[in-house]
Amino acid sequence: MQDAAYWVRCLDLKPHPEGGFYRETYRAAESIETSGLPARFTGRRSFSTAIYFLLRNQDRSVFHRIRSDELWHYHAGDSLSIYVLHEENGLTVHRLGADIEHGDSLQVVVPANTWFGAHLETPGRYTLAGCTVAPGFDFADFEMADRATLLKTFSGHADIITLLTNP
């Protein structure tokens, strides 16, 4: 098995603002006009986008949300816990990985406008994933969570909120 540095180098991954490393690999040539999108979008968006995303054991993807659905695909490495906060359902934890017999999934969907973050639950090396977003990702749709606000809304999940937010 390759190490994280191998993938960062070979895939030309760069640091991501939420944590980890990424590189956009696909952006649809066609786009949807603002008038054809739900009101939460402020401008035209590509039909779809895709990235490679790598988290090492020492990294975390802090809680954030985007205005589109995001589909995560497992590629290599260890299992990754993806934490999704729902105002109605509280916290859902998904495991992205290849250990299907022990609860992993090769794909995980994060619904639009939900807070989510990720990290390697058990000490491991890294997880290499792919993320597909539709309508396509735009940083105008990206919002990092405020710790105090999340703690007020989801007070029963203080440990994971503290771990996956910045002070």
Side-chain angles (χ1 to χ4, degrees):
M1 181 186 266
Q2 304 296 338
D3 65 4
Y6 169 85
W7 295 112
V8 169
R9 184 180 70 256
C10 289
L11 297 176
D12 193 29
L13 305 179
K14 304 298 182 208
H16 195 288
E18 78 194 45
F21 298 85
Y22 82 111
R23 180 171 62 87
E24 185 173 276
T25 57
Y26 172 74
R27 181 167 290 274
E30 295 180 294
S31 60
I32 306 165
E33 293 296 329
T34 309
S35 61
L37 292 166
R40 67 183 180 267
F41 294 97
T42 58
R44 73 185 328 171
R45 295 291 180 269
S46 296
F47 285 173
S48 180
T49 56
I51 64 169
Y52 287 126
F53 186 66
L54 184 137
L55 281 179
R56 301 168 302 173
N57 190 54
Q58 66 266 37
D59 298 325
R60 63 200 174 117
S61 170
V62 297
F63 276 112
H64 62 288
R65 64 182 172 188
I66 62 174
R67 295 180 182 150
S68 299
D69 291 343
E70 183 167 345
L71 177 61
W72 289 60
H73 315 267
Y74 172 80
H75 290 310
D78 303 294
S79 299
L80 180 71
S81 294
I82 301 172
Y83 299 86
V84 182
L85 293 167
H86 305 271
E87 291 200 22
E88 306 83 32
N89 306 336
L91 177 69
T92 301
V93 182
H94 302 278
R95 282 178 39 108
L96 182 72
D99 193 359
I100 305 303
E101 292 177 357
H102 292 99
D104 284 5
S105 297
L106 295 171
Q107 297 180 344
V108 170
V109 175
V110 176
N113 292 316
T114 57
W115 295 109
F116 67 101
H119 77 98
L120 279 77
E121 181 96 11
T122 56
R125 295 168 299 239
Y126 67 91
T127 302
L128 175 62
C131 298
T132 304
V133 175
F137 179 81
D138 188 298
F139 271 104
D141 302 334
F142 178 85
E143 178 185 5
M144 281 215 256
D146 174 72
R147 178 181 287 175
T149 302
L150 282 189
L151 287 171
K152 284 180 195 170
T153 307
F154 303 99
S155 59
H157 306 291
D159 289 346
I160 196 63
I161 290 170
T162 301
L163 177 67
L164 296 181
T165 54
N166 296 319

